Amino acid sequence: MRAKQSEILDTIKSKGLTYQQKHHNLANIAERLVDPIELLNYTSEEMEAIENNMICDLNEGYGVYRPRYIVPDYSIFIKEGCKFLDLNPPTDIDELLDGLLILYSNVPSITSFPVFIGELDQLIDPFITNEDEDYIKIKRFLNHIDKTIPDSFCHANIGPRASKAGELILKAVIELQNPTPNMTIKYNKNITNREFAKLAAKACLVASKPSFSNDDYYIKDVGEHGIASCYNALPMAGGAYTLLRLRLGTIAKSCSSKDELINKALPTFAKHMLSMIDKRIKFIVEESNFFETSFLVKEGFIKKDNFTAMPAIVGLAEAVNHVLKLEDKNERFGQSEYGDEIAHEILTAIEKIVNNHEAVYCERTNNRYLFHAQVGASIDNSDKENTPAHRIPVGDEPILPLHLTQSAQFHKYFPSGTGDLFAFDQTYLNNLDAVLDIIEGAFNKGYRYITTYLQNSDLIRVTGYLVKRSEVEKARREEIVLRNTAMLGMGTDDNAHVFSRRTRD
């Protein structure tokens, strides 16, 4: 959405933002003051789709000068150091952790913070020499990230193989209980040691991380990849140029029949979304000079050929519920077989358009964009009528076995990421085997990604990122908070009531 000049002074005078948050917000306003019709050749119809809230560009801005998500191959640093930053290859764990922290401060993204900080256990494990001393160093390293990258879209990976470094990282995660970094364990039951997986399950309950990704599934679809930001599976040494999303709930409300939605509205808005993605990528690649000037490219941390883009959806539940109402069905998405059929019709229609579209500068993903289930945002009032991704709205959730079966059938549509999350009661801490059995059962049904947390925990996963409830309450009182994601979490809870998910006992 284009910015107004009044936003500049509103930001400067804000009593609810830190200096750093004001700085980032002012930069974003500047990007959105640019006219996309003049700079990017958006059509008036495309801009109208954004202004009418049918398509959301997540306020990425129009003066685009870096990709949205960057997934560097940090193993380059271990092998070759970094010439631009005058860093030699690390010879011990101190040089490794210090060098990584320096690198992180130079990796851009849409948030201005790194959204991927590497496969940490694989990077650290060769440098472990003294378990007790190295644990303290790893804990300080993780705590440093939490305080200097105040944005829980910053994401680390571990697994699938167990390692001493992985164990120490999980131990520190449980002790620190920090929102940042977000974390995923790449899980493969044929590779991941069960005791290591149970330790990860314990951390997931206590600290809402790591989430579990179905590693074998993602390798088949994306190849070598990193899980970045919320739960996005993106090519290693690459990333995603941009992400736009269809607000399916809003689009459906403009239609008077299922036929109008499937055969007229969705093709129109999907093509507008893909056209705008094309134009944004062309500007980044052909005019911003990002790939000509970044040391990350020159030194091999990333390659342009490894980037893709993410056309996405939110609000599947509301779109289906609108069609059910039009057809006088007293049923709701999540508990309706006919509702599931409608959902498949909607997603199949969009998937076909996305897969038939010739993508620009996306060699790594066969010149196609990767369809994505976006977790939601609180940018506009219309987000109140668009539940994240294909999730069942809070309050409509069936019992756990039915919920897993219902949601699993939709994971196949989204190669760049989707996921579901479940709040458990305290008793699950005494039965980690049961938690792991649930996760493996979900993967057997077709899940790509799943996460859990304790309902009574202060640290909670909002949609794909983490916040502390206590920090969100400060934001509600308009007190300054360190992490901007606490403010995003407040908005998402207001819209989708995510703090009140059904407790699984």
Side-chain angles (χ1 to χ4, degrees):
M1 189 72 77
R2 288 198 68 186
K4 300 174 183 174
Q5 286 209 352
S6 59
E7 292 180 43
I8 297 174
L9 205 54
D10 290 343
T11 300
I12 290 171
K13 292 183 176 181
S14 172
K15 294 181 178 179
L17 299 173
T18 65
Y19 161 78
Q20 190 178 47
Q21 288 159 357
K22 288 185 178 183
H23 189 266
H24 290 160
N25 286 3
L26 288 169
N28 176 260
I29 292 167
E31 291 177 70
R32 292 188 292 113
L33 283 173
V34 176
D35 185 348
I37 292 179
E38 291 183 5
L39 187 69
L40 303 176
N41 294 317
Y42 279 15
T43 65
S44 56
E45 290 81 9
E46 290 165 357
M47 277 308 298
E48 185 178 359
I50 291 177
E51 290 164 355
N52 290 343
N53 298 309
M54 305 296 183
I55 298 174
C56 173
D57 62 11
L58 291 165
N59 282 344
E60 280 192 1
Y62 307 108
V64 281
Y65 58 95
R66 75 298 197 200
R68 179 179 179 88
Y69 299 129
I70 294 178
V71 182
D73 178 1
Y74 291 100
S75 69
I76 298 294
F77 168 60
I78 292 177
K79 289 180 281 191
E80 302 176 18
C82 179
K83 294 181 179 63
F84 180 76
L85 296 172
D86 198 20
L87 296 172
N88 293 322
T91 59
D92 58 32
I93 193 169
D94 291 313
E95 291 182 0
L96 171 72
L97 300 181
D98 185 56
L100 286 174
L101 291 173
I102 294 169
L103 267 170
Y104 296 158
S105 65
N106 289 276
V107 176
S109 77
I110 193 65
T111 68
S112 296
F113 299 107
V115 295
F116 179 73
I117 58 172
E119 296 168 309
L120 284 188
D121 54 344
Q122 296 180 33
L123 295 171
I124 295 173
D125 200 60
F127 295 89
I128 298 291
T129 56
N130 182 307
E131 185 174 333
D132 292 337
E133 293 179 2
D134 293 341
Y135 171 68
I136 294 172
K137 293 172 182 177
I138 289 171
K139 190 170 69 171
R140 286 175 179 163
F141 168 75
L142 293 174
N143 202 42
H144 183 106
I145 291 171
D146 181 65
K147 303 304 181 286
T148 58
I149 305 177
D151 182 288
S152 54
F153 296 114
C154 168
H155 207 129
N157 293 181
I158 61 172
R161 296 189 184 282
S163 66
K164 181 53 66 180
E167 290 179 21
L168 297 180
I169 289 168
L170 290 172
K171 181 181 172 185
V173 163
I174 292 170
E175 183 176 343
L176 289 169
Q177 298 193 33
N178 285 331
T180 310
N182 199 344
M183 190 172 291
T184 291
I185 177 171
K186 294 179 173 178
Y187 182 72
N188 183 325
K189 68 178 182 181
N190 297 319
I191 297 175
T192 310
N193 173 282
R194 189 162 179 92
E195 290 305 310
F196 183 60
K198 285 167 64 176
L199 180 60
K202 179 181 178 182
C204 192
L205 289 173
V206 173
S208 296
K209 61 184 175 183
S211 299
F212 284 68
S213 79
N214 189 338
D215 194 45
D216 193 41
Y217 198 166
Y218 274 125
I219 287 175
K220 288 175 182 172
D221 275 356
V222 187
E224 188 181 5
H225 65 280
I227 303 293
S229 188
C230 289
Y231 50 51
N232 311 334
L234 297 170
M236 184 62 72
Y241 297 108
T242 186
L243 188 164
L244 271 66
R245 59 183 191 154
L246 299 175
R247 286 189 175 108
L248 295 179
T250 307
I251 293 171
K253 279 183 68 176
S254 71
C255 299
S256 57
S257 68
K258 184 178 73 173
D259 181 69
E260 182 184 0
L261 173 65
I262 302 284
N263 296 312
K264 184 178 178 183
L266 290 180
T268 297
F269 292 114
K271 289 175 182 175
H272 285 336
M273 174 175 65
L274 292 166
S275 171
M276 288 187 279
I277 288 175
D278 291 346
K279 293 168 182 176
R280 299 180 65 81
I281 294 173
K282 285 182 178 178
F283 188 86
I284 294 172
V285 173
E286 298 174 1
E287 298 193 53
S288 78
N289 289 315
F290 172 82
F291 289 100
E292 285 73 26
T293 58
S294 171
F295 77 93
L296 295 170
V297 179
K298 292 179 179 177
E299 300 192 30
F301 291 94
I302 58 173
K303 297 177 182 176
K304 177 172 66 64
D305 291 349
N306 287 333
F307 277 79
T308 187
M310 304 158 70
I313 60 102
V314 290
L316 181 65
E318 286 75 12
V320 170
N321 286 339
H322 180 72
V323 173
L324 289 170
K325 186 176 180 181
L326 287 174
E327 299 185 3
D328 293 324
K329 305 285 187 185
N330 188 26
E331 301 172 5
R332 290 185 62 78
F333 178 74
Q335 304 188 30
S336 163
E337 288 187 12
Y338 180 54
D340 292 343
E341 291 176 15
I342 297 169
H344 282 296
E345 285 188 69
I346 290 172
L347 294 178
T348 299
I350 303 172
E351 180 188 50
K352 183 178 179 181
I353 295 167
V354 169
N355 289 342
N356 285 338
H357 183 80
E358 186 79 12
V360 296
Y361 297 112
C362 290
E363 291 84 353
R364 173 66 166 70
T365 51
N366 300 315
N367 301 309
R368 293 293 181 272
Y369 299 136
L370 298 181
F371 197 18
H372 185 68
Q374 216 269 334
V375 289
S378 53
I379 294 173
D380 183 85
N381 280 335
S382 59
D383 289 315
K384 293 180 179 177
E385 58 192 21
N386 287 280
T387 295
H390 54 83
R391 290 181 184 161
I392 300 171
V394 173
D396 287 348
E397 305 119 301
I399 60 173
L400 184 59
L402 296 179
H403 195 152
L404 290 169
T405 299
Q406 194 275 347
S407 56
Q409 61 189 305
F410 303 114
H411 281 230
K412 65 180 181 181
Y413 292 101
F414 305 107
S416 66
T418 185
D420 283 277
L421 28 69
F422 301 93
F424 286 172
D425 77 7
Q426 195 78 11
T427 58
Y428 277 89
L429 267 180
N430 300 322
N431 198 348
L432 298 175
D433 278 308
V435 177
L436 208 52
D437 288 345
I438 291 169
I439 291 168
E440 288 186 357
F443 286 169
N444 288 337
K445 285 180 176 292
Y447 259 56
R448 292 182 181 274
Y449 197 87
I450 185 171
T451 192
T452 66
Y453 59 91
L454 294 179
Q455 186 66 284
N456 64 353
S457 170
D458 186 34
L459 193 58
I460 180 175
R461 188 170 291 268
V462 177
T463 50
Y465 58 95
L466 292 84
V467 300
K468 288 190 173 183
R469 297 175 198 258
S470 53
E471 289 291 301
V472 170
E473 290 311 309
K474 286 183 182 178
R476 290 190 198 282
R477 298 194 296 268
E478 299 184 351
E479 296 179 19
I480 288 182
V481 291
L482 174 63
R483 301 170 191 85
N484 63 345
T485 32
M487 290 177 274
L488 297 178
M490 177 183 67
T492 301
D493 184 49
D494 290 344
N495 288 344
H497 314 294
V498 293
F499 290 2
S500 304
R501 292 188 184 102
R502 180 171 182 170
T503 303
R504 314 298 174 154
D505 49 20

